Amino acid sequence: MTNTSSVADSVPSKFYKYRSIFGQSGEFVKRTVCEDEIYFPPPASFNDPFDCRPAFSFDVSDEELVADYIRIAKKHGPPMSDRELHEDAMKMLADPARNPKNPDVCAAIQDRHSEVMTNAVGVFCVSTVRDDILMWSHYADCHRGICLEFDGLGKLMAHAQKVVYTEERRFIRMPGDDNDTSLEKALLTKSKHWEYEQEWRLIAYKNGPGVQKFRPENLTGIIVGAQASNKAIQNVREWIEKHPTFIDLYQARVNRYKYTLDIDEVTL
């Protein structure tokens, strides 16, 4: 899949992943730092109810719909002659329970697509910013967690793709959109409300949700939250000691004069 937006933009030198470090999340983070593992969750677990649930449009001519039906039937259906395929396509067109131009049928197709897309694909989300106050609050346990820093030019992030933010929902046009365009609309498009996250994604199409290994050198730093406890900082130091390659350690601090976070390097 090719994301045209990411091709046009230069790849950031660093990517960031905000995480809590206590409870189950803490165990996952420990495995990331100590065992070089990251988890690709299914989009069904995401906090955005629109994420990976695109809208569909069948606003096409009957001729286009029939042609596309025949194309798909040839590829996925039982063996049929051209005449039988055309007859079956015409029956589909005449049957309100099968014709996707019927709003109820279109809704059923959209719901089924969303169910598959949000459970069968694994998505690892990262950001290009490390000091966003809201993301520290939402994803890093109210600034008590950490932010992992990954090498944007390393092998792990070589296939990261940029998320597109839009005011209106993008419709997958059926037929009409090719596979790459459909996947971009489904997996890489979000509401403008989320634009502050400046998100990029790694997508596991074939393997789906689950754990994947990465090269140790791809993890380059850890930022400790502004409200992290001494215990949290000690845990991070112990994890870093077990990592086979060097990792920079940083501390986020609340700026005394502005609504910003200062990120200072910490001597190990």
Side-chain angles (χ1 to χ4, degrees):
M1 175 182 174
T2 301
N3 177 16
T4 55
S5 63
S6 63
V7 171
D9 293 290
S10 59
V11 177
S13 61
K14 300 291 184 182
F15 286 108
Y16 301 95
K17 182 71 173 178
Y18 296 81
R19 296 300 305 269
S20 169
I21 58 170
F22 294 104
Q24 186 179 42
S25 178
E27 290 301 313
F28 284 138
V29 176
K30 182 179 179 180
R31 288 170 61 181
T32 297
V33 181
C34 301
E35 301 178 37
D36 313 316
E37 294 181 353
I38 55 174
Y39 177 63
F40 284 68
S45 66
F46 291 173
N47 58 0
D48 178 5
F50 297 94
D51 208 337
C52 300
R53 297 174 174 87
F56 277 70
S57 172
F58 289 89
D59 186 18
V60 295
S61 67
D62 289 349
E63 290 77 12
E64 289 178 284
L65 194 59
V66 166
D68 193 62
Y69 180 89
I70 292 173
R71 179 186 63 80
I72 295 174
K74 281 184 176 180
K75 186 175 181 180
H76 300 290
M80 298 174 68
S81 67
D82 289 345
R83 179 178 178 179
E84 289 172 325
L85 285 167
H86 188 268
E87 289 177 350
D88 191 49
M90 296 308 293
K91 289 179 181 177
M92 173 276 298
L93 205 61
D95 185 354
R98 296 176 63 196
N99 190 330
K101 288 188 175 184
N102 179 341
D104 291 337
V105 177
C106 180
I109 293 172
Q110 182 171 323
D111 289 346
R112 176 56 181 160
H113 180 277
S114 295
E115 180 182 355
V116 172
M117 190 63 66
T118 56
N119 288 283
V121 176
V123 181
F124 184 71
C125 306
V126 290
S127 173
T128 60
V129 293
R130 64 179 187 171
D131 56 357
D132 186 86
I133 296 173
L134 288 179
M135 283 195 285
W136 273 106
S137 297
H138 296 160
Y139 305 120
D141 195 18
C142 299
H143 298 252
R144 292 186 289 265
I146 65 172
C147 185
L148 300 170
E149 177 191 83
F150 293 96
D151 181 6
L153 305 179
K155 185 175 179 63
L156 175 62
M157 294 298 170
H159 299 291
Q161 299 180 85
K162 190 176 183 180
V163 170
V164 176
Y165 301 97
T166 61
E167 293 283 358
E168 303 292 336
R169 292 184 75 175
R170 298 176 72 188
F171 285 76
I172 291 180
R173 186 173 179 270
M174 300 291 290
D177 287 341
D178 59 28
N179 191 55
D180 282 357
T181 301
S182 296
L183 287 174
E184 181 180 334
K185 290 179 178 180
L187 295 168
L188 296 169
T189 303
K190 297 181 67 174
S191 165
K192 277 277 189 180
H193 292 87
W194 300 94
E195 191 170 21
Y196 72 93
E197 292 190 348
Q198 298 185 39
E199 183 179 344
W200 289 57
R201 291 180 164 181
L202 291 174
I203 301 173
Y205 297 102
K206 294 183 179 179
N207 295 332
V211 173
Q212 292 192 27
K213 299 284 286 187
F214 65 92
R215 294 180 179 180
E217 61 269 22
N218 285 279
L219 179 62
T220 58
I222 298 178
I223 306 166
V224 179
Q227 300 196 82
S229 65
N230 290 333
K231 173 62 175 174
I233 297 172
Q234 181 59 34
N235 285 345
V236 171
R237 288 181 177 273
E238 291 175 0
W239 296 346
I240 288 177
E241 289 176 0
K242 296 178 182 179
H243 195 76
T245 60
F246 182 78
I247 295 179
D248 288 312
L249 179 62
Y250 303 90
Q251 173 74 62
R253 305 184 191 281
V254 174
N255 186 283
R256 294 183 180 277
Y257 309 104
K258 297 181 291 184
Y259 287 124
T260 59
L261 295 172
D262 298 324
I263 309 294
D264 300 323
E265 189 168 359
V266 177
T267 302
L268 292 170

